[in-house]
Amino acid sequence: MSKRTVQFKIYRYDPDRDEKPYMQDISVELEPSDKKLLDALVRLKVKDDSTSFRRSCREGVCGSDAMNINGKNGLACLTDVDSLPQPIVLRPLPGLPVIRDLIVDMTQFFKQYNSIKPYLVNDNPPPERERLQSPEEREELNGLYECILCACCSTSCPSFWWNPDKFVGPAGLLAAYRFIADTRDEATNERLDNLEDPYRLFRCHTIMNCVDVCPKSLNPTRAIGKIKDMMVRRAV
Amino acid sequence: MKIAKHTYDAVIVGAGGAGLRAALQLSESGLKTAVLTKVFPTRSHTVAAQGGVAASLGNSTEDNWHWHMYDTVKGSDWLGDQDAIEFMCRKANEVVVELEHYGMPFDRLDNGKIYQRPFGGHSQNYGQSPVSRSCAAADRTGHAMLHALYQRNVRAKTQFFVEWMALDLIRDADGDVVGVTAMEMETGEVSIFHAKAVIFATGGAGRIYYSSTNAFINTGDGVGMAARAGVPLEDMEFWQFHPTGVAGAGVLITEGVRGEGGILRNAAGERFMERYAPNLKDLASRDVVSRSMVTEINEGRGCGPDKDHVLLDITHLSPETIMKRLPGIREISIQFAGIDPIKAPIPVVPTCHYQMGGIPTNYKGQVVAPKGDNPNTPVTGFYAAGECACASVHGANRLGTNSLLDLLVFGKSAGETVVEDIQSGNLRLKPLPDDAADFSLARMARLENQKDGTNVHEVRLAMQRTMQKHAGVFRFSELLQQGVTAILEVAEQAKTTEIKDKSMVWNTARMEALELDNLIEVAKATMISAEARKESRGAHVRDDAPDTAEFPNGRRDDEWLKHTLWYSEGNRLDYKPVNLQPMSESVDPIALATRTY
């Protein structure tokens, strides 16, 4: 790739300075080595140091740089900048309060994550060595444990937009199933009780936006479906 | 200016693996603890570790901690302290099993035990043959570990201050540590955290180099804070260049790829590691493999149009093995090299990866510094663990999978020591000095009011290019000397950085300027310590200390079997002995020997 200029339209809001948010038109010349959207944003920040976004690992494992890219949630570090139609429209993740520019307040998102008790529960005295688990049992956790808590899924979910305080959301429910599916965990009943409510689980209407946007190709809808199945089986 | 003050028993700075492991000790003991972290805990760089954590569980091949200890001492090129290394290797099984009990999703063997794979420099029977010692969760071990530790902290109700950046260490007139200052990103306000104990778990500073596997956040904040507060930094000349960063992108490709059978090839398709390390071949120690790769490239056997990289080949592995054991690597290769490793080899190049040196500590996690006749006098109230600390278990070269082990063992150990020191009454809440926050506030005011200053991005880039050119995989006497002058010039420029953005709210320009202050301390320490060490050892290999019959590998135990200590004030250097004595009398020291693989 050679040098080229890309056009951006970026959501800007600094509560310290701006009365209200606005969309900023700005372009930046990219170096040949700039391949990902995050590279372009870092380049843009050299030009205007007030452009604000979170970033860390730049390889899709830390979950910092989730944003709304041309209308779809994704990670800037895993998005090829040259694949995007211009102007590239960047907005903060939808449905969470904006702190500044592309930085959202994720308190509600993590509150929901914490609400499902995202830790292994096993009150038996631990053995001296590891608890045993067969490769097949361990495989049940694949597609669940890899979540990076970027919030792309929950903030693309209309049910989460409407009820962020009541609906756990796809990320939290994926985590809930990760522990239900773990043969070492002994709190399945409590976990199902915790979700037995008109909102916490059942606000998922299988719209599947979560599956569509997950940068790790995970499938929260399937995990939610499995929890619903267990609820039903438990009831009959 | 009125400053908010928070009071705690203990403050932990950093919420990666070491910080979270320490936090568990404190939270579960009931001490009032605050964990300050500039990113949400699961964004910390531990998340990027891939290949595994070392423990001599012996699940697939016979193993014991004595062999692990030998490998670690040899890997360190005898610069590691043998008491700390014994402590770490002996504790490995305990902390890994504990992590499994916390819910860590390790891969499994058919008998249900934790899956273990071979890794560079780890051997059976004192160097004889490779051993499967690396406990792994696919190639996402760091991610699985960091999330498991965070989750356990949710259970323990640990109190986090998320997106608070620590600014400076507070020491009183006795030199004791009594707290830190910190800035809340959302409001830009500076507060004082007053505590009986402060634990630094702030990670490394790999971002001093231009090409690094490290995250943007790895800016050596704790190391910089310690240096500014007069604490010396130990062995900062030793940096690990990981053999396999994706060429051009710098993103890490785990050594676990070679553990699963991957092979490094030059332009002729030759498995060149057979020539450099006839016994362990591609699984030799990282410093050895990185130098072999650079030698291949320098001698014209590199790959690609510019002959500037070599190839990591796993096309002979079955797609099932790759999908099961190395799924993350496949994703990374496709994303950042445009290559599916099932079909084609991955272009790789040695890339800055890990800081072996850091804040000097003992195996209990206490920060130590020279005082009177004792070079290892604890600094009251100050503790450190993980990559920011130097215990020293990695010495001149770290073995793969020993970093995740380091942060578990010493995170826990630092936590335990703090609990003991507080519960025994050894540590009390000492009064804050009147000027506790003045230094931080002066730094903030300087930045706020700077006119006609330098540009943060440009100064950082100058630093990174200087480090890359003058203190790389191979080191040259003349380049090091020039490097000292160059880095001191860059450090001058860093004193007058100017930011345009003056907002109080989530000001990332200000954050980057403050991070640069920390990076610069690390860069100076590295260059000056490296220039002074006139021998080759581990990752520090210089042209004027070549391999000779008298001094194999260029190592000079007669003069340089000692730890460097660098003080920021006056760029002063001091040295202290390496501890060649294990912790237990019943354990024999690993005798000095020439390092070959």
Side-chain angles (χ1 to χ4, degrees):
Chain A
M1 198 50 67
S2 55
K3 285 202 178 196
R4 67 278 190 211
T5 301
V6 291
Q7 309 287 332
F8 282 102
K9 209 178 229 328
I10 303 186
Y11 179 100
R12 299 298 307 267
Y13 176 58
D14 174 3
D16 213 18
R17 200 182 54 194
D18 306 321
E19 272 184 30
K20 56 179 188 191
Y22 64 98
M23 296 302 287
Q24 176 192 28
D25 292 298
I26 188 165
S27 67
V28 64
E29 189 183 35
L30 300 187
E31 293 297 318
S33 57
D34 296 331
K35 295 196 169 82
K36 301 295 179 185
L37 174 59
L38 181 60
D39 300 329
L41 278 171
V42 168
R43 193 71 60 193
L44 188 65
K45 193 168 174 58
V46 173
K47 188 171 170 176
D48 174 359
D49 74 0
S50 70
T51 315
S52 305
F53 52 93
R54 294 187 178 103
R55 85 283 180 268
S56 182
C57 76
R58 59 83 163 86
E59 58 191 57
V61 291
C62 80
S64 298
D65 63 349
M67 55 188 70
N68 188 269
I69 305 159
N70 282 347
K72 188 175 168 183
N73 291 352
L75 298 182
C77 62
L78 293 185
T79 304
D80 286 326
V81 66
D82 295 305
S83 72
L84 297 169
Q86 295 181 27
I88 299 167
V89 182
L90 299 180
R91 293 175 182 276
L93 289 176
L96 293 175
V98 175
I99 298 175
R100 179 180 175 176
D101 297 347
L102 300 174
I103 296 168
V104 291
D105 181 349
M106 298 184 72
T107 308
Q108 193 60 53
F109 173 79
F110 289 121
K111 215 168 161 180
Q112 289 296 2
Y113 175 73
N114 286 351
S115 79
I116 62 97
K117 300 199 172 160
Y119 43 82
L120 195 83
V121 176
N122 185 329
D123 293 332
N124 294 318
E128 242 174 64
R129 288 285 301 252
E130 64 263 52
R131 290 195 166 99
L132 300 181
Q133 190 171 47
S134 73
E136 295 72 32
E137 289 169 339
R138 165 60 183 78
E139 225 151 85
E140 291 298 312
L141 307 183
N142 286 347
L144 304 171
Y145 83 95
E146 302 93 326
C147 171
I148 57 173
L149 299 176
C150 65
C152 281
C153 59
S154 293
T155 62
S156 69
C157 173
S159 296
F160 190 77
W161 297 338
W162 282 109
N163 293 293
D165 54 335
K166 296 190 190 121
F167 174 51
V168 171
L173 290 169
L174 185 86
Y177 187 65
R178 177 248 173 275
F179 289 100
I180 291 171
D182 195 322
T183 50
R184 300 169 295 172
D185 188 88
E186 300 202 319
T188 298
N189 263 322
E190 290 88 326
R191 293 186 188 281
L192 294 178
D193 291 347
N194 174 284
L195 298 173
E196 187 124 49
D197 164 292
Y199 285 93
R200 287 181 58 75
L201 171 70
F202 289 103
R203 280 287 130 167
C204 169
H205 299 309
T206 58
I207 300 166
M208 294 186 72
N209 283 2
C210 53
V211 182
D212 192 36
V213 298
C214 177
K216 304 308 284 183
S217 308
L218 308 179
N219 191 330
T221 306
R222 188 162 61 210
I224 293 167
K226 287 187 173 174
I227 304 176
K228 285 179 177 170
D229 283 351
M230 293 180 89
M231 288 279 197
V232 173
R233 263 186 276 132
R234 188 168 77 145
V236 292
Chain B
M1 187 176 171
K2 198 168 151 29
I3 287 195
K5 201 180 87 181
H6 309 263
T7 305
Y8 285 85
D9 288 321
V11 171
I12 298 173
V13 183
L20 291 178
R21 189 62 195 80
L24 278 181
Q25 270 346 91
L26 298 177
S27 294
E28 288 175 354
S29 74
L31 291 180
K32 195 181 171 207
T33 307
V35 181
L36 310 184
T37 172
K38 69 177 176 176
V39 295
F40 183 79
T42 63
R43 320 270 187 239
S44 307
H45 192 56
T46 303
V47 81
Q50 297 173 352
V53 50
S56 55
L57 292 169
N59 285 354
S60 14
T61 48
E62 190 193 343
D63 202 4
N64 66 66
W65 66 262
H66 293 278
W67 295 349
H68 186 189
M69 177 176 172
Y70 169 83
D71 292 336
T72 304
V73 172
K74 178 181 169 185
S76 82
D77 218 349
W78 277 268
L79 192 70
D81 289 327
Q82 296 198 16
D83 58 337
I85 294 175
E86 179 194 338
F87 183 77
M88 180 178 82
C89 297
R90 284 186 94 135
K91 285 268 185 188
N93 289 4
E94 170 194 320
V95 293
V96 167
V97 166
E98 234 167 32
L99 197 66
E100 193 281 328
H101 294 160
Y102 295 167
M104 166 110 175
F106 283 110
D107 285 4
R108 299 292 170 150
L109 296 164
D110 284 340
N111 63 11
K113 292 182 178 175
I114 293 171
Y115 169 78
Q116 297 188 280
R117 62 161 60 110
F119 238 79
H122 290 280
S123 74
Q124 251 178 339
N125 209 10
Y126 309 102
Q128 219 169 59
S129 51
V131 68
S132 293
R133 188 179 288 149
S134 168
C135 311
D139 53 1
R140 305 188 181 98
T141 312
H143 170 275
M145 178 186 283
L146 187 66
H147 281 250
L149 285 171
Y150 175 66
Q151 289 161 351
R152 187 74 176 187
N153 271 283
V154 172
R155 179 179 179 268
K157 299 191 167 56
T158 298
Q159 188 180 358
F160 290 102
F161 287 75
V162 174
E163 295 173 339
W164 283 65
M165 182 184 176
L167 300 176
D168 286 291
L169 201 56
I170 304 171
R171 299 181 79 175
D172 68 6
D174 301 328
D176 297 351
V177 168
V178 295
V180 289
T181 53
M183 173 178 69
E184 182 183 24
M185 288 306 296
E186 191 169 341
T187 61
E189 276 165 20
V190 176
S191 300
I192 290 173
F193 286 79
H194 184 199
K196 298 171 188 167
V198 173
I199 302 178
F200 273 8
T202 52
R207 284 273 160 178
I208 63 169
Y209 284 90
Y210 182 70
S211 171
S212 171
T213 64
N214 282 199
F216 281 101
I217 57 169
N218 289 23
T219 54
D221 296 342
V223 184
M225 283 187 270
R228 280 196 298 276
V231 175
L233 303 183
E234 180 174 343
D235 293 340
M236 291 302 292
E237 60 270 45
F238 297 100
W239 282 85
Q240 177 158 86
F241 288 79
H242 195 291
T244 55
V246 173
V251 177
L252 174 69
I253 299 285
T254 174
E255 189 170 301
V257 169
R258 281 170 284 139
E260 295 289 346
I263 291 169
L264 290 164
R265 297 189 190 281
N266 61 18
E270 182 204 5
R271 183 181 191 178
F272 57 85
M273 280 312 300
E274 286 177 333
R275 277 189 276 121
Y276 298 92
N279 190 20
L280 290 186
K281 302 189 179 79
D282 299 89
L283 286 177
S285 225
R286 286 179 179 174
D287 56 336
V288 174
V289 179
S290 283
R291 278 195 295 275
S292 309
M293 290 168 70
V294 171
T295 303
E296 289 298 300
I297 292 167
N298 287 348
E299 293 179 358
R301 292 186 292 278
C303 305
D306 299 324
K307 295 175 181 286
D308 59 356
H309 59 267
V310 301
L311 295 173
L312 177 58
D313 188 3
I314 51 171
T315 55
H316 53 289
L317 301 186
S318 73
E320 294 72 43
T321 302
I322 296 174
M323 300 298 280
K324 188 170 176 191
R325 301 293 182 205
L326 304 166
I329 286 313
R330 181 164 179 253
E331 274 175 42
I332 284 176
S333 303
I334 292 170
Q335 272 282 349
F336 293 96
I339 273 174
D340 183 346
I342 291 175
K343 297 177 190 139
I346 312 163
V348 290
V349 72
T351 306
C352 174
H353 183 58
Y354 188 87
Q355 167 192 309
M356 263 81 71
I359 304 166
T361 69
N362 56 26
Y363 68 84
K364 293 176 176 173
Q366 295 171 308
V367 174
V368 294
K371 197 174 185 180
D373 290 339
N374 182 1
N376 294 308
T377 310
V379 178
T380 305
F382 194 21
Y383 306 77
E387 191 172 342
C388 74
C390 181
S392 143
V393 285
H394 309 305
N397 170 67
R398 174 174 73 77
L399 296 187
T401 67
N402 268 353
S403 62
L404 290 185
L405 179 60
D406 166 347
L407 59 82
L408 288 176
V409 168
F410 295 106
K412 181 177 182 182
S413 174
E416 282 176 339
T417 308
V418 167
V419 172
E420 261 168 46
D421 286 351
I422 290 178
Q423 288 179 344
S424 67
N426 278 348
L427 277 182
R428 286 170 225 283
L429 193 69
K430 292 185 80 182
L432 275 175
D434 292 337
D435 61 355
D438 289 8
F439 183 66
S440 295
L441 293 176
R443 285 177 66 208
M444 301 288 273
R446 199 281 300 156
L447 193 57
E448 196 63 24
N449 301 320
Q450 184 70 50
K451 298 269 182 333
D452 304 318
T454 54
N455 177 290
V456 173
H457 166 75
E458 283 167 16
V459 176
R460 189 174 51 213
L461 195 59
M463 171 195 67
Q464 290 171 334
R465 290 205 188 280
T466 304
M467 297 310 295
Q468 197 79 28
K469 179 176 169 193
H470 295 269
V473 173
F474 282 107
R475 291 166 177 190
F476 302 89
S477 167
E478 199 179 334
L479 275 178
L480 285 167
Q481 283 171 26
Q482 294 165 1
V484 169
T485 313
I487 205 67
L488 291 177
E489 273 171 27
V490 175
E492 275 308 303
Q493 294 166 23
K495 287 181 181 165
T496 56
T497 47
E498 182 182 352
I499 53 174
K500 305 287 181 214
D501 183 3
K502 301 289 164 89
S503 171
M504 289 299 279
V505 181
W506 243 99
N507 188 325
T508 46
R510 183 178 293 135
M511 188 179 195
E512 288 185 27
L514 294 166
E515 287 173 335
L516 180 62
D517 290 346
N518 297 323
L519 285 166
I520 285 287
E521 295 296 328
V522 178
K524 282 188 295 184
T526 300
M527 195 70 83
I528 289 165
S529 304
E531 195 279 326
R533 183 176 282 271
K534 308 261 184 324
E535 68 157 350
S536 297
R537 185 185 296 270
H540 176 70
V541 164
R542 21 190 317 159
D543 63 334
D544 53 352
D547 183 23
T548 62
E550 194 185 0
F551 301 111
N553 295 335
R555 198 176 84 195
R556 295 289 303 264
D557 291 332
D558 54 336
E559 282 187 50
W560 289 100
L561 184 59
K562 56 189 180 184
H563 294 295
T564 306
L565 294 173
W566 170 87
Y567 290 84
S568 181
E569 194 174 12
N571 288 306
R572 183 164 66 86
L573 289 176
D574 193 2
Y575 294 90
K576 68 174 182 182
V578 175
N579 188 350
L580 298 168
Q581 210 54 47
M583 198 172 63
S584 318
E585 275 180 29
S586 57
V587 176
D588 290 334
I590 312 289
L592 286 161
T594 302
R595 204 165 150 251
T596 54
Y597 283 99

